Amino acid sequence: MNKKHFVLGIDGMPFDLFNEKLISNKMPKCKKIIEKANFKAIDSVMPPVSSVAWTSYATGKYPKEHGIYGFTEKDSRHSGLYIPTTVDRKAETIWNRLSRKGKKVVVLNVPFTYPPEAVNGIMVSCFLCPKIENATYPKAFYQNLAERGYIIDVEAPSSEEDKPRFIEDLFTAMKIRTELSIELMEHTKWDYFHLHIMETDRLFHFFWDSVTGEKEDEYSKEVDRFFEALDNHVDSLLRHLPPDTGFTILSDHGFCGIQHEVQLNTWLKKEAYFHPDKLYSLTPGRIYIHSEAKEKEILKQQLKEKLLKLEDSGHKVIQNVFFEEEIFQGMQEETGPNMVVHPFNGYDLKSNMRESNIFTDSLLTGMHTFENAMLISTLDITDISDISRVAEKIEEEICDDHF
Ligand SMILES: [Zn+2]
């Protein structure tokens, strides 16, 4: 007997925060759900960017093998920076494989699903998609989205006065996604159903201080209301699952507050290493060195040593610096960064080209962390330590013909 499996992605939800909401009874319905499942903290991938981490989830591979390292990329085919899409991905996803095996899939809003792919079912792509008309497979399905006022991604607040509008949009976007999912769950055939909620990530970036309670302000109540709504949505989604359906709820990275942004290209300039084509950084913390092997090794060692000493008013900024060979095992291709810089919590690594200061203030209050993503599942997850190992278990369950 094959089992159906439902996956709910809650972007950027930290294990610790979620656990605290359960303990303090702020999410009583999720608390009940967890009693029937396994719950643990897992790691993201390096660098902990949503596009990269969800691609690792979907392909079961690390960046070197799937070829996605960040929101932006730079190479000789494009002048300047470009935004990679599914066309640039080098590995098959769980929905590609299941479709090939004749299983039915529904994939809604999962990061890095643009342009939408021809799956055996329905796909609605993510925030990378500029227009709703181009967001769906099959193409005509977009009409269904348009009719219900579906929001691909909420627009970031442009000012302090704009924040109430932003919060209302978060509620609306999450509600419509849930309603659409419940309808599809009941009225379409599926073996694998994957809904992604992006609104958590958006809330945490702009309201992290209110989320942690560090700041008691006019938004604290809104944040409580948001968690209450999320609790209700998760509950009603799971209530609508057909009997004996497995489920997994997971996030792709953790979150922490921002002390300062760190402009790595400015730092490279001040240390006289920067070159626009030969030695530069891309957000977050990716450093590219294009030079012959021996020189590259020397530069990597020098940069690592200096970065580990970098301080912001007496505080160490960089926790570790990884070389490509340490974290990017897999295909031996000349793509991807040569080093990835891992900051201490609070230091958000950026790569602005025009900034004269190394440490700058952020418009955001929250940033991603590598540690402290979460995983809840009806599957045995004891041996899973990071996001790239989850989908293979789900696929096994869906494709298990030995019953
Ligand atoms: Zn994310």
Side-chain angles (χ1 to χ4, degrees):
M1 192 186 75
N2 303 320
K3 246 182 141 173
K4 293 178 196 299
H5 203 93
F6 171 68
V7 179
L8 177 65
I10 306 184
D11 207 285
M13 179 64 81
F15 170 83
D16 287 350
L17 179 73
F18 197 82
N19 197 33
E20 189 268 318
K21 295 289 174 199
L22 300 179
I23 292 166
S24 61
N25 229 15
K26 292 261 169 69
M27 300 183 86
K29 291 173 179 165
C30 282
K31 198 173 175 176
K32 281 233 167 72
I33 289 162
I34 304 261
E35 286 168 8
K36 292 178 275 179
N38 303 302
F39 178 38
K40 72 190 287 191
I42 55 167
D43 285 337
S44 183
V45 290
M46 200 64 81
V49 175
S50 301
S51 291
V52 183
W54 288 110
T55 303
S56 282
Y57 161 81
T59 60
K61 300 197 182 302
Y62 293 112
K64 188 84 182 178
E65 298 161 281
H66 61 58
I68 308 304
Y69 299 93
F71 278 123
T72 52
E73 222 36 89
K74 189 174 153 151
D75 78 4
S76 49
R77 286 176 299 139
H78 306 73
S79 53
L81 294 176
Y82 71 98
I83 296 173
T85 66
T86 47
V87 177
D88 302 287
R89 195 183 53 218
K90 293 180 196 141
E92 213 181 18
T93 59
I94 180 171
W95 42 86
N96 298 149
R97 285 192 297 271
L98 289 173
S99 295
R100 198 159 39 73
K101 292 175 183 173
K103 303 291 180 189
K104 285 276 184 187
V105 304
V106 178
V107 180
L108 303 178
N109 197 40
V110 180
F112 214 80
T113 52
Y114 178 75
E117 297 164 274
V119 291
N120 184 25
I122 296 168
M123 177 176 277
V124 174
S125 65
C126 61
F127 56 80
L128 291 176
C129 181
K131 281 203 301 199
I132 214 163
E133 290 81 359
N134 300 333
T136 60
Y137 179 88
K139 174 99 179 153
F141 188 73
Y142 87 87
Q143 283 159 351
N144 185 321
L145 302 186
E147 277 163 23
R148 59 178 82 227
Y150 183 89
I151 299 169
I152 295 180
D153 190 16
V154 295
E155 205 179 304
S158 54
S159 65
E160 216 32 59
E161 295 74 54
D162 197 24
K163 283 184 171 174
R165 187 271 313 157
F166 171 71
I167 290 191
E168 262 334 290
D169 287 354
L170 291 178
F171 280 95
T172 311
M174 193 159 69
K175 182 166 177 275
I176 297 174
R177 272 190 238 297
T178 306
E179 287 167 356
L180 170 68
S181 299
I182 288 171
E183 214 177 285
L184 289 175
M185 255 176 206
E186 291 186 319
H187 300 293
T188 61
K189 272 192 158 179
W190 58 273
D191 299 290
Y192 176 84
F193 197 115
H194 190 156
L195 167 66
H196 184 78
I197 291 178
M198 196 67 210
E199 287 66 58
T200 36
D201 176 275
R202 302 307 188 225
L203 178 83
F204 298 163
H205 275 303
F206 287 94
F207 293 96
W208 184 248
D209 295 345
S210 316
V211 168
T212 57
E214 194 169 300
K215 203 161 124 192
E216 281 264 1
D217 57 12
E218 70 261 47
Y219 299 115
S220 308
K221 269 211 178 88
E222 296 297 310
V223 168
D224 281 346
R225 200 161 68 86
F226 181 90
F227 277 95
E228 199 184 310
L230 181 63
D231 194 43
N232 285 326
H233 291 320
V234 175
D235 184 57
S236 64
L237 285 161
L238 294 192
R239 274 176 198 281
H240 283 85
L241 294 181
D244 200 33
T245 301
F247 67 84
T248 296
I249 303 171
L250 79 165
S251 67
D252 55 334
H253 48 80
F255 250 89
C256 70
I258 300 181
Q259 188 68 29
H260 274 135
E261 290 181 343
V262 184
Q263 303 295 343
L264 281 185
N265 281 328
T266 311
W267 179 81
L268 287 168
K269 281 179 195 168
K270 290 201 174 172
E271 296 287 335
Y273 285 103
F274 180 82
H275 185 287
D277 303 316
K278 290 184 180 150
L279 207 163
Y280 54 87
S281 176
L282 295 180
T283 300
R286 291 177 284 160
I287 295 181
Y288 294 77
I289 307 169
H290 302 294
S291 61
E292 54 93 16
K294 204 171 161 197
E295 193 191 352
K296 189 186 283 183
E297 286 316 305
I298 295 170
L299 287 167
K300 279 159 70 176
Q301 292 296 345
Q302 285 180 0
L303 289 170
K304 178 173 181 170
E305 232 169 82
K306 292 190 175 189
L307 280 164
L308 290 174
K309 286 186 190 141
L310 183 63
E311 286 190 1
D312 173 30
S313 326
H315 293 280
K316 284 250 188 279
V317 173
I318 306 303
Q319 197 173 140
N320 212 338
V321 177
F322 298 105
F323 294 159
E324 61 206 300
E325 58 272 22
E326 297 172 271
I327 51 170
F328 293 143
Q329 301 95 335
M331 292 178 355
Q332 291 304 309
E333 273 195 48
E334 284 300 308
T335 60
N338 302 101
M339 309 166 69
V340 176
V341 183
H342 182 40
F344 281 107
N345 284 356
Y347 290 101
D348 202 6
L349 304 179
K350 298 288 179 192
S351 54
N352 292 1
M353 296 299 292
R354 291 194 192 89
E355 198 50 69
S356 52
N357 293 318
I358 296 172
F359 299 107
T360 52
D361 287 332
S362 181
L363 294 171
L364 307 174
T365 60
M367 61 175 269
H368 298 183
T369 63
F370 170 75
E371 299 87 8
N372 204 31
M374 70 156 196
L375 176 62
I376 298 164
S377 186
T378 50
L379 296 165
D380 176 12
I381 53 172
T382 345
D383 59 344
I384 295 179
S385 60
D386 74 51
I387 189 167
S388 73
R389 298 274 80 92
V390 183
E392 61 197 88
K393 294 239 173 184
I394 296 172
E395 193 176 334
E396 254 169 46
E397 182 175 73
I398 296 174
C399 297
D400 180 14
D401 296 319
H402 302 300
F403 247 91

